[in-house]
Amino acid sequence: MEPSSDKYMRLETLLLPLETHSSLSVRFALSFCFRDDDVIAVTYPKSGTIWMQEILPLVLNGGDLTPIHTIPNWDRVPWLEEKRLELVVNQLLPPRALVTHFTYNIMPPSFHTSRAKVIYVMRNPLDAVVSSYYFHQMAEFLDDPGSFDEFIDRFLEGRVMFGKWTDHVKSWRHTKLGDRIMYITYEEMVQDLPAAIRRISTFLGRRLSEETIQKIAEHCSFNAMKANTMSNFSLVPKQFMDNDKSSFLRKGKSGDWKNHFSAEQLARFSSVICKDLGDEILSLPYELNQLEHRGNENESQ
């Protein structure tokens, strides 16, 4: 099943939802003027974007909770490529925090000539595809995902918003950004959020007290975000996101893929991901080659 042409636009190999993107918003993004003190979190969809929209303002402002309680997350840390940026960019106080799903090769020229810092958040693709599947069920502006088995194939082939997970990861693993980029995983953040915030604050040159770090972690916990109307997307009208079908902030855990993948699906998924990554698999924190082996073992039992 091909993605619906009336719901997406194409930017090179990427599919962008028309509800939140337009030719004008993409043009604005590609000509955006980055400043040296800007910070941008980069993610593949469903890999921790909303979490970073919560964390970054608090790290940058020293733990002042005002923005996360008064400004919707899509305006407090806007997407580079979405329609909202042009509307709110002049309201962003320095240092500005942004997020993007762009691959590295699409970033605007000013990004490369600036000293803007990047935090790349990566999530186990097994969990990313599960999260994306449920998001497609509740987001009325996206295609019907079909069955989970069908959606796995769409994900692996890149027939989903922002293309293939492997292309996205590879593009950001091989940059010329040097000390401008920091890599962190969704799983690290789940396992020890204060430690992740400590790393982020150090990378951004913020000297936060342990008390402030703990406060930020508490207010950026899954339960706190799920209860915060400025962060849980409950302000979005039902015709765009139907929370009755699935909550936008669903579980906030790692490893939920184990409740969804059959042995055959796991073997198929891991095999394709490993093949697409090639030697890159050796530098990733997920032992997908072992997952593939486990899937084959389970299948033969």
Side-chain angles (χ1 to χ4, degrees), residues 130-148:
V130 170
S131 181
S132 187
Y133 175 67
Y134 283 102
F135 182 54
H136 275 71
Q137 290 181 345
M138 63 91 69
E140 301 293 340
F141 56 89
L142 298 178
D143 277 345
D144 185 304
S147 68
F148 182 59

PDB file of all heavy atoms in Angstrom, residues 130-148:
ATOM      1  N   VAL A 130       6.844   0.148  16.741  1.00  0.00           N
ATOM      2  CA  VAL A 130       5.636  -0.094  17.541  1.00  0.00           C
ATOM      3  C   VAL A 130       4.973   1.232  17.898  1.00  0.00           C
ATOM      4  O   VAL A 130       3.758   1.408  17.735  1.00  0.00           O
ATOM      5  CB  VAL A 130       5.971  -0.895  18.818  1.00  0.00           C
ATOM      6  CG1 VAL A 130       4.770  -0.924  19.761  1.00  0.00           C
ATOM      7  CG2 VAL A 130       6.397  -2.317  18.461  1.00  0.00           C
ATOM      8  N   SER A 131       5.759   2.185  18.368  1.00  0.00           N
ATOM      9  CA  SER A 131       5.231   3.489  18.738  1.00  0.00           C
ATOM     10  C   SER A 131       4.616   4.189  17.531  1.00  0.00           C
ATOM     11  O   SER A 131       3.540   4.798  17.614  1.00  0.00           O
ATOM     12  CB  SER A 131       6.341   4.354  19.340  1.00  0.00           C
ATOM     13  OG  SER A 131       5.845   5.607  19.735  1.00  0.00           O
ATOM     14  N   SER A 132       5.291   4.093  16.391  1.00  0.00           N
ATOM     15  CA  SER A 132       4.792   4.719  15.166  1.00  0.00           C
ATOM     16  C   SER A 132       3.481   4.080  14.708  1.00  0.00           C
ATOM     17  O   SER A 132       2.575   4.771  14.225  1.00  0.00           O
ATOM     18  CB  SER A 132       5.846   4.597  14.064  1.00  0.00           C
ATOM     19  OG  SER A 132       5.464   5.329  12.929  1.00  0.00           O
ATOM     20  N   TYR A 133       3.367   2.782  14.890  1.00  0.00           N
ATOM     21  CA  TYR A 133       2.140   2.065  14.513  1.00  0.00           C
ATOM     22  C   TYR A 133       0.943   2.611  15.282  1.00  0.00           C
ATOM     23  O   TYR A 133      -0.112   2.905  14.707  1.00  0.00           O
ATOM     24  CB  TYR A 133       2.333   0.566  14.786  1.00  0.00           C
ATOM     25  CG  TYR A 133       1.100  -0.275  14.549  1.00  0.00           C
ATOM     26  CD1 TYR A 133       0.586  -0.439  13.267  1.00  0.00           C
ATOM     27  CD2 TYR A 133       0.458  -0.917  15.610  1.00  0.00           C
ATOM     28  CE1 TYR A 133      -0.543  -1.216  13.049  1.00  0.00           C
ATOM     29  CE2 TYR A 133      -0.671  -1.695  15.400  1.00  0.00           C
ATOM     30  CZ  TYR A 133      -1.170  -1.835  14.113  1.00  0.00           C
ATOM     31  OH  TYR A 133      -2.294  -2.597  13.897  1.00  0.00           O
ATOM     32  N   TYR A 134       1.102   2.785  16.591  1.00  0.00           N
ATOM     33  CA  TYR A 134       0.000   3.319  17.398  1.00  0.00           C
ATOM     34  C   TYR A 134      -0.263   4.794  17.075  1.00  0.00           C
ATOM     35  O   TYR A 134      -1.416   5.244  17.099  1.00  0.00           O
ATOM     36  CB  TYR A 134       0.305   3.139  18.890  1.00  0.00           C
ATOM     37  CG  TYR A 134       0.079   1.720  19.359  1.00  0.00           C
ATOM     38  CD1 TYR A 134       1.148   0.852  19.548  1.00  0.00           C
ATOM     39  CD2 TYR A 134      -1.208   1.245  19.587  1.00  0.00           C
ATOM     40  CE1 TYR A 134       0.938  -0.457  19.960  1.00  0.00           C
ATOM     41  CE2 TYR A 134      -1.425  -0.060  20.003  1.00  0.00           C
ATOM     42  CZ  TYR A 134      -0.345  -0.904  20.186  1.00  0.00           C
ATOM     43  OH  TYR A 134      -0.562  -2.206  20.587  1.00  0.00           O
ATOM     44  N   PHE A 135       0.789   5.530  16.760  1.00  0.00           N
ATOM     45  CA  PHE A 135       0.607   6.931  16.392  1.00  0.00           C
ATOM     46  C   PHE A 135      -0.207   7.052  15.108  1.00  0.00           C
ATOM     47  O   PHE A 135      -1.081   7.915  14.987  1.00  0.00           O
ATOM     48  CB  PHE A 135       1.973   7.609  16.234  1.00  0.00           C
ATOM     49  CG  PHE A 135       1.883   9.077  15.910  1.00  0.00           C
ATOM     50  CD1 PHE A 135       1.142   9.941  16.702  1.00  0.00           C
ATOM     51  CD2 PHE A 135       2.552   9.599  14.813  1.00  0.00           C
ATOM     52  CE1 PHE A 135       1.065  11.302  16.410  1.00  0.00           C
ATOM     53  CE2 PHE A 135       2.486  10.952  14.516  1.00  0.00           C
ATOM     54  CZ  PHE A 135       1.738  11.807  15.318  1.00  0.00           C
ATOM     55  N   HIS A 136       0.068   6.181  14.146  1.00  0.00           N
ATOM     56  CA  HIS A 136      -0.704   6.196  12.904  1.00  0.00           C
ATOM     57  C   HIS A 136      -2.180   5.878  13.151  1.00  0.00           C
ATOM     58  O   HIS A 136      -3.040   6.328  12.401  1.00  0.00           O
ATOM     59  CB  HIS A 136      -0.122   5.187  11.897  1.00  0.00           C
ATOM     60  CG  HIS A 136       1.014   5.731  11.086  1.00  0.00           C
ATOM     61  ND1 HIS A 136       2.259   5.977  11.622  1.00  0.00           N
ATOM     62  CD2 HIS A 136       1.095   6.089   9.777  1.00  0.00           C
ATOM     63  CE1 HIS A 136       3.058   6.443  10.672  1.00  0.00           C
ATOM     64  NE2 HIS A 136       2.372   6.532   9.552  1.00  0.00           N
ATOM     65  N   GLN A 137      -2.463   5.099  14.173  1.00  0.00           N
ATOM     66  CA  GLN A 137      -3.853   4.773  14.481  1.00  0.00           C
ATOM     67  C   GLN A 137      -4.614   5.985  15.012  1.00  0.00           C
ATOM     68  O   GLN A 137      -5.802   6.167  14.717  1.00  0.00           O
ATOM     69  CB  GLN A 137      -3.930   3.630  15.497  1.00  0.00           C
ATOM     70  CG  GLN A 137      -3.509   2.280  14.945  1.00  0.00           C
ATOM     71  CD  GLN A 137      -3.629   1.167  15.975  1.00  0.00           C
ATOM     72  OE1 GLN A 137      -3.761   1.419  17.172  1.00  0.00           O
ATOM     73  NE2 GLN A 137      -3.578  -0.079  15.516  1.00  0.00           N
ATOM     74  N   MET A 138      -3.943   6.833  15.794  1.00  0.00           N
ATOM     75  CA  MET A 138      -4.638   7.955  16.426  1.00  0.00           C
ATOM     76  C   MET A 138      -4.498   9.269  15.658  1.00  0.00           C
ATOM     77  O   MET A 138      -5.302  10.177  15.835  1.00  0.00           O
ATOM     78  CB  MET A 138      -4.168   8.133  17.873  1.00  0.00           C
ATOM     79  CG  MET A 138      -2.716   8.491  18.080  1.00  0.00           C
ATOM     80  SD  MET A 138      -2.371  10.287  18.148  1.00  0.00           S
ATOM     81  CE  MET A 138      -3.154  10.708  19.702  1.00  0.00           C
ATOM     82  N   ALA A 139      -3.469   9.393  14.818  1.00  0.00           N
ATOM     83  CA  ALA A 139      -3.257  10.623  14.055  1.00  0.00           C
ATOM     84  C   ALA A 139      -4.074  10.570  12.769  1.00  0.00           C
ATOM     85  O   ALA A 139      -3.726   9.859  11.831  1.00  0.00           O
ATOM     86  CB  ALA A 139      -1.776  10.803  13.753  1.00  0.00           C
ATOM     87  N   GLU A 140      -5.161  11.310  12.741  1.00  0.00           N
ATOM     88  CA  GLU A 140      -6.083  11.259  11.605  1.00  0.00           C
ATOM     89  C   GLU A 140      -5.459  11.822  10.328  1.00  0.00           C
ATOM     90  O   GLU A 140      -5.963  11.567   9.231  1.00  0.00           O
ATOM     91  CB  GLU A 140      -7.365  12.027  11.944  1.00  0.00           C
ATOM     92  CG  GLU A 140      -8.114  11.505  13.165  1.00  0.00           C
ATOM     93  CD  GLU A 140      -8.700  10.115  12.952  1.00  0.00           C
ATOM     94  OE1 GLU A 140      -8.868   9.713  11.787  1.00  0.00           O
ATOM     95  OE2 GLU A 140      -8.981   9.433  13.954  1.00  0.00           O
ATOM     96  N   PHE A 141      -4.374  12.586  10.455  1.00  0.00           N
ATOM     97  CA  PHE A 141      -3.753  13.181   9.269  1.00  0.00           C
ATOM     98  C   PHE A 141      -2.706  12.257   8.632  1.00  0.00           C
ATOM     99  O   PHE A 141      -2.056  12.632   7.657  1.00  0.00           O
ATOM    100  CB  PHE A 141      -3.112  14.538   9.622  1.00  0.00           C
ATOM    101  CG  PHE A 141      -2.100  14.489  10.725  1.00  0.00           C
ATOM    102  CD1 PHE A 141      -0.760  14.249  10.453  1.00  0.00           C
ATOM    103  CD2 PHE A 141      -2.484  14.696  12.056  1.00  0.00           C
ATOM    104  CE1 PHE A 141       0.167  14.212  11.462  1.00  0.00           C
ATOM    105  CE2 PHE A 141      -1.552  14.671  13.076  1.00  0.00           C
ATOM    106  CZ  PHE A 141      -0.222  14.429  12.777  1.00  0.00           C
ATOM    107  N   LEU A 142      -2.542  11.059   9.182  1.00  0.00           N
ATOM    108  CA  LEU A 142      -1.642  10.064   8.603  1.00  0.00           C
ATOM    109  C   LEU A 142      -2.443   8.917   8.004  1.00  0.00           C
ATOM    110  O   LEU A 142      -3.615   8.725   8.322  1.00  0.00           O
ATOM    111  CB  LEU A 142      -0.686   9.515   9.679  1.00  0.00           C
ATOM    112  CG  LEU A 142       0.258  10.512  10.339  1.00  0.00           C
ATOM    113  CD1 LEU A 142       1.092   9.815  11.416  1.00  0.00           C
ATOM    114  CD2 LEU A 142       1.176  11.179   9.318  1.00  0.00           C
ATOM    115  N   ASP A 143      -1.806   8.143   7.154  1.00  0.00           N
ATOM    116  CA  ASP A 143      -2.455   6.962   6.565  1.00  0.00           C
ATOM    117  C   ASP A 143      -2.842   5.950   7.625  1.00  0.00           C
ATOM    118  O   ASP A 143      -2.174   5.840   8.666  1.00  0.00           O
ATOM    119  CB  ASP A 143      -1.491   6.267   5.591  1.00  0.00           C
ATOM    120  CG  ASP A 143      -1.492   6.920   4.224  1.00  0.00           C
ATOM    121  OD1 ASP A 143      -2.414   7.697   3.950  1.00  0.00           O
ATOM    122  OD2 ASP A 143      -0.558   6.656   3.453  1.00  0.00           O
ATOM    123  N   ASP A 144      -3.886   5.198   7.347  1.00  0.00           N
ATOM    124  CA  ASP A 144      -4.214   4.036   8.173  1.00  0.00           C
ATOM    125  C   ASP A 144      -3.029   3.071   8.094  1.00  0.00           C
ATOM    126  O   ASP A 144      -2.559   2.745   6.996  1.00  0.00           O
ATOM    127  CB  ASP A 144      -5.479   3.364   7.638  1.00  0.00           C
ATOM    128  CG  ASP A 144      -5.947   2.219   8.523  1.00  0.00           C
ATOM    129  OD1 ASP A 144      -5.140   1.296   8.756  1.00  0.00           O
ATOM    130  OD2 ASP A 144      -7.098   2.238   8.967  1.00  0.00           O
ATOM    131  N   PRO A 145      -2.525   2.618   9.243  1.00  0.00           N
ATOM    132  CA  PRO A 145      -1.330   1.772   9.206  1.00  0.00           C
ATOM    133  C   PRO A 145      -1.576   0.351   8.711  1.00  0.00           C
ATOM    134  O   PRO A 145      -0.624  -0.384   8.428  1.00  0.00           O
ATOM    135  CB  PRO A 145      -0.874   1.761  10.661  1.00  0.00           C
ATOM    136  CG  PRO A 145      -2.134   1.944  11.449  1.00  0.00           C
ATOM    137  CD  PRO A 145      -2.984   2.871  10.621  1.00  0.00           C
ATOM    138  N   GLY A 146      -2.853  -0.061   8.618  1.00  0.00           N
ATOM    139  CA  GLY A 146      -3.129  -1.448   8.285  1.00  0.00           C
ATOM    140  C   GLY A 146      -2.789  -2.344   9.459  1.00  0.00           C
ATOM    141  O   GLY A 146      -2.782  -1.908  10.617  1.00  0.00           O
ATOM    142  N   SER A 147      -2.479  -3.601   9.173  1.00  0.00           N
ATOM    143  CA  SER A 147      -2.091  -4.519  10.245  1.00  0.00           C
ATOM    144  C   SER A 147      -0.667  -4.213  10.682  1.00  0.00           C
ATOM    145  O   SER A 147       0.101  -3.560   9.959  1.00  0.00           O
ATOM    146  CB  SER A 147      -2.171  -5.970   9.761  1.00  0.00           C
ATOM    147  OG  SER A 147      -1.168  -6.217   8.786  1.00  0.00           O
ATOM    148  N   PHE A 148      -0.287  -4.688  11.849  1.00  0.00           N
ATOM    149  CA  PHE A 148       1.076  -4.478  12.327  1.00  0.00           C
ATOM    150  C   PHE A 148       2.079  -5.106  11.373  1.00  0.00           C
ATOM    151  O   PHE A 148       3.132  -4.536  11.088  1.00  0.00           O
ATOM    152  CB  PHE A 148       1.247  -5.041  13.742  1.00  0.00           C
ATOM    153  CG  PHE A 148       2.613  -4.811  14.329  1.00  0.00           C
ATOM    154  CD1 PHE A 148       3.110  -3.528  14.484  1.00  0.00           C
ATOM    155  CD2 PHE A 148       3.407  -5.881  14.720  1.00  0.00           C
ATOM    156  CE1 PHE A 148       4.381  -3.303  15.022  1.00  0.00           C
ATOM    157  CE2 PHE A 148       4.664  -5.665  15.261  1.00  0.00           C
ATOM    158  CZ  PHE A 148       5.154  -4.380  15.409  1.00  0.00           C
TER     159      PHE A 148
END
